[in-house]
Amino acid sequence: MDNKIIERATEMYLTLGFKSVTMDDIASRMGISKKTIYQHFENKNDLVEAVTMHLFETISCGIDEIITLNQNPIEELFSIKDFVMQNLKNESTSPIYQLQKYYPQIHKTLMSRQFDKMGDCVIDNLKKGIEQGLFREDIHMELIARFYFAGMTSIKDAELFNPIQFSTKEVQETYLEYHLRGIATEKGIAVLEQLLKNNNQ
């Protein structure tokens, strides 16, 4: 039952926001009593924490699987972006904003785990890109990894990137292209532009 509650809560939180969805809403959607949920999760804070960690683990495992496909590092980043957006249901910035505002400690823990995971992945991606001649050899990998994480975090700011004005997909793809153009060699730019061309067809 734990997993069923987490799965349904995840779906509702990502669609409507962590603050907006009540325990009553989840119970009603599942056709169970609120008491049943409280037998598995002491309070809403516990459920929100379980949902965010479940999402993190699901996405982390998916990213690990993508990395084993041995795509070139530019294709790899686009594949990861698509996978993450699919699992977050192309979420608007609202759920993350609500998590940060109303559950700051959970958000802080999530950010820390994301930084550790993304930092390692980006460093490995940069190393592969340099080895394959797609990324410049003179880049500062530790700094670039932090720039990338900071950017990925900042583009979820609903005040800076109003989802009514900019779609999540557009923001994510534009940011990824921005990141890659900053570090790519001529060979890398050619691969990127071919990939963008194929995606727009």
Side-chain angles (χ1 to χ4, degrees):
M1 179 60 82
D2 278 25
N3 288 338
K4 288 183 179 178
I5 293 171
I6 288 173
E7 286 173 11
R8 184 50 57 92
T10 298
E11 178 187 328
M12 295 178 72
Y13 287 150
L14 289 180
T15 304
L16 302 168
F18 287 94
K19 174 67 173 176
S20 307
V21 177
T22 66
M23 299 293 255
D24 282 317
D25 293 332
I26 297 168
S28 176
R29 183 72 66 88
M30 293 186 70
I32 61 176
S33 69
K34 187 164 65 170
K35 183 180 177 182
T36 302
I37 296 180
Y38 283 121
Q39 288 172 349
H40 297 269
F41 300 95
E42 187 174 337
N43 50 47
K44 184 178 177 181
N45 197 82
D46 282 354
L47 180 55
V48 169
E49 184 172 19
V51 164
T52 55
M53 293 309 123
H54 168 73
L55 264 175
F56 173 79
E57 293 300 335
T58 299
I59 290 172
S60 292
C61 289
I63 289 172
D64 289 342
E65 287 182 19
I66 289 170
I67 290 170
T68 65
L69 298 176
N70 289 321
Q71 298 172 301
N72 76 56
I74 293 176
E75 291 175 324
E76 183 177 275
L77 286 180
F78 275 89
S79 294
I80 289 172
K81 171 193 65 69
D82 291 341
F83 172 78
V84 171
M85 289 187 66
Q86 181 183 354
N87 274 269
L88 295 182
K89 304 183 187 302
N90 293 329
E91 54 98 352
S92 68
T93 51
S94 178
I96 297 299
Y97 173 76
Q98 288 193 11
L99 184 69
Q100 183 177 8
K101 184 174 181 180
Y102 298 105
Y103 302 94
Q105 191 55 51
I106 295 174
H107 181 266
K108 184 177 179 181
T109 300
L110 179 64
M111 287 297 103
S112 175
R113 295 186 69 178
Q114 282 183 342
F115 176 75
D116 290 340
K117 177 68 178 178
M118 189 182 286
D120 291 341
C121 288
V122 175
I123 291 288
D124 289 343
N125 182 271
L126 291 171
K127 286 178 180 176
K128 279 197 296 186
I130 291 171
E131 288 169 3
Q132 295 178 25
L134 299 174
F135 300 156
R136 301 195 324 270
E137 293 183 0
D138 62 344
I139 58 176
H140 191 313
M141 288 191 289
E142 289 288 344
L143 268 181
I144 295 297
R146 288 170 184 265
F147 287 160
Y148 188 68
F149 179 79
M152 289 298 291
T153 304
S154 295
I155 62 177
K156 294 183 182 298
D157 187 328
E159 293 182 6
L160 277 177
F161 302 96
N162 188 325
I164 297 173
Q165 186 177 1
F166 308 106
S167 73
T168 303
K169 184 173 185 290
E170 178 188 13
V171 172
Q172 293 270 0
E173 290 183 350
T174 303
Y175 176 70
L176 183 50
E177 181 182 352
Y178 175 81
H179 164 72
L180 288 167
R181 286 189 183 279
I183 62 174
T185 59
E186 286 187 19
K187 179 181 175 182
I189 293 291
V191 171
L192 171 62
E193 291 185 343
Q194 185 59 52
L195 189 60
L196 292 171
K197 182 180 177 182
N198 293 341
N199 287 347
N200 290 328
Q201 286 179 350

